[in-house]
Amino acid sequence: MLENGRKVLKEGVLEKRSDGLLQRWKKKLCVLAEDGVLLLPPKRPHSGGDATRAKELSFANMKTVDCEERKGQYVYFTVVMMDGKEIDFRCPQDEGWNAEITLQMVQYKNRQAVLAVKSTRQKQLLLAGHRTVQTSSDLA
């Protein structure tokens, strides 16, 4: 369980390509939750990780997970954010991070779509009920 009560679905180490000129692969502690992915510096003995340097990739801001490629022992994939930013990752082939992130993102988007439809229907029912009340009072 994360601090804010979010359920941890998967935790492990992923490698993220840096944005810098050299674009080195850096290990990150990755925590997959129902609403996004939290990236932390890898835990070192006696440090417990540095939560202040955490980066959160929220599914609300995530567009897609794509560009899967298998080379040697790694699977390479890219997380594309709504603003167009692309974040490259790699992990050992047997860990399936790309599939887990994709699955959770799709489930999150589906939950949001269901909530949006329910909200729209409730608004329509309220408006229809309000019109019925107005029509009944107009007749009186």
Side-chain angles (χ1 to χ4, degrees):
M1 205 53 90
L2 293 172
E3 289 176 11
N4 58 3
R6 293 185 296 176
K7 182 180 174 188
V8 173
L9 303 173
K10 183 173 182 162
E11 185 175 335
V13 176
L14 263 179
E15 291 184 65
K16 176 187 169 294
R17 189 176 357 222
S18 67
D19 294 332
L21 185 63
L22 298 176
Q23 294 191 334
R24 293 185 177 172
W25 290 101
K26 294 183 180 180
K27 291 185 184 222
K28 298 288 182 181
L29 176 61
C30 184
V31 179
L32 179 63
E34 292 173 321
D35 60 348
V37 180
L38 190 62
L39 301 171
L40 302 150
K43 289 185 179 179
R44 292 191 173 85
H46 311 300
S47 72
D50 186 359
T52 60
R53 292 184 45 211
K55 180 175 186 173
E56 185 164 0
L57 304 176
S58 169
F59 292 140
N61 299 324
M62 200 178 286
K63 187 174 185 178
T64 186
V65 179
D66 62 16
C67 297
E68 180 182 322
E69 184 178 357
R70 297 176 189 276
K71 278 188 181 175
Q73 66 183 19
Y74 292 108
V75 172
Y76 294 80
F77 61 98
T78 302
V79 171
V80 181
M81 304 304 286
M82 292 292 189
D83 63 4
K85 183 175 181 178
E86 295 183 356
I87 306 162
D88 296 325
F89 292 97
R90 74 178 182 186
C91 66
Q93 285 195 29
D94 61 345
E95 291 187 10
W97 274 100
N98 54 323
E100 290 283 345
I101 292 170
T102 301
L103 178 65
Q104 289 306 316
M105 180 189 68
V106 168
Q107 288 179 349
Y108 174 86
K109 301 275 186 185
N110 285 344
R111 285 191 303 268
Q112 296 305 306
V114 167
L115 290 174
V117 167
K118 284 182 179 177
S119 175
T120 301
R121 284 185 183 160
Q122 286 175 341
K123 287 177 186 174
Q124 288 173 341
L125 288 173
L126 283 172
L127 285 173
H130 183 69
R131 286 186 195 127
T132 304
V133 170
Q134 281 183 335
T135 305
S136 298
S137 63
D138 290 343
L139 295 174

